[in-house]
Amino acid sequence: MEQYKSEFIEFMVDCQVLKFGDFVTKSGRKTPFFINTGFYRTGSQLRRLGQYYARAISEKYGTDFDVLFGPAYKGIPLSVTTAAAISELYGNDVGYCSNRKEVKDHGDKGILLGSPIKDGDKVVIIEDVTTAGTSIQETLPIIKAQGDVNVIGMVVSVDRMERGQGVRSALCEIRENYGIETTAIVTMADVVEHLYNKPYKGHVILDDTIKAAIDAYYEQYGAQF
């Protein structure tokens, strides 16, 4: 595993973004692990997060694209900090863009904020975590409505590696249904590999009990890649 992936897993733990226990996802699944990017709350945390996203994007798609689109609401700060990181790390000045939940009818009008999207633009979508893959159904029409746009990819922080609407993973379904390449900074397999029965800052975060709960969860919801 690349060093930046290991660092990112520990970064999530330090920020209390990655937790283990009993949770319920937005899709209604009971899960022994939870990723909540709302716990990135400081400037230094957001700066590092943007750098991790930028690294994952660069490795998968390069940086020769025009706009980084972050769906409201959590995608807004993700698009801003990652666009800044791409400029800082790679010298490419890509635009950031997000949608509004409600159309604004005065001042800076319309459904979008940030960089406009126009014909011929190459766009990368950035999200926090995709569990069932439902958000792309709302996001893609908004982007496509702006013109003849090429959505070249989608990046999330963690691939939960579970079924989307069918038996395939949510990210795999997005590739198959929409023709969009997908990637993640890390997968849950990476998380388990790095943390299972390995002390971090003096204690084991992912022990045998949690590992058994994760295995049982994947027995029920694991994707067939």
Side-chain angles (χ1 to χ4, degrees), residues 15-225:
C15 295
Q16 300 184 48
V17 167
L18 172 63
K19 296 181 179 181
F20 300 97
D22 296 310
F23 308 95
V24 178
T25 67
K26 184 178 179 181
S27 59
R29 298 172 180 173
K30 293 183 179 181
T31 173
F33 56 90
F34 197 72
I35 300 104
N36 183 357
T37 57
F39 276 83
Y40 296 119
R41 293 172 171 171
T42 70
S44 62
Q45 289 172 347
L46 287 172
R47 182 174 182 270
R48 285 187 63 186
L49 178 63
Q51 292 172 343
Y52 289 125
Y53 266 110
R55 180 74 178 272
I57 290 170
S58 176
E59 285 193 353
K60 180 69 175 183
Y61 312 112
T63 57
D64 182 21
F65 61 94
D66 304 292
V67 178
L68 191 60
F69 186 90
Y73 288 104
K74 287 184 178 179
I76 297 174
L78 296 181
S79 65
V80 173
T81 189
T82 305
I86 290 173
S87 174
E88 177 186 5
L89 296 177
Y90 303 107
N92 290 57
D93 200 23
V94 302
Y96 84 91
C97 181
S98 296
N99 62 297
R100 295 184 173 96
K101 290 292 187 179
E102 300 84 21
V103 177
K104 189 176 178 183
D105 60 3
H106 62 283
D108 182 17
K109 297 182 180 180
I111 195 172
L112 300 182
L113 56 88
S115 176
I117 300 175
K118 59 186 184 300
D119 284 351
D121 277 350
K122 291 182 285 186
V123 177
V124 172
I125 299 171
I126 183 169
E127 294 216 38
D128 55 350
V129 180
T130 295
T131 300
T134 53
S135 62
I136 192 70
Q137 299 172 14
E138 301 174 2
T139 301
L140 199 57
I142 294 172
I143 297 173
K144 291 293 189 180
Q146 308 310 309
D148 184 14
V149 177
N150 179 17
V151 179
I152 65 172
M154 174 179 171
V155 59
V156 299
S157 61
V158 181
D159 180 357
R160 290 181 58 100
M161 300 176 65
E162 59 193 83
R163 296 200 308 266
Q165 302 300 311
V167 298
R168 310 280 276 176
S169 74
L171 293 184
C172 183
E173 287 181 347
I174 290 170
R175 288 194 297 269
E176 293 176 346
N177 295 337
Y178 302 100
I180 299 173
E181 287 298 316
T182 59
T183 194
I185 303 174
V186 294
T187 68
M188 274 307 297
D190 294 329
V191 171
V192 172
E193 175 188 342
H194 186 63
L195 294 179
Y196 178 46
N197 275 344
K198 298 175 183 176
Y200 177 63
K201 293 188 174 178
H203 68 282
V204 174
I205 299 168
L206 202 166
D207 57 17
D208 290 334
T209 301
I210 296 174
K211 176 64 161 55
I214 292 173
D215 290 344
Y217 183 77
Y218 281 119
E219 283 289 325
Q220 184 172 7
Y221 294 115
Q224 298 178 16
F225 290 91

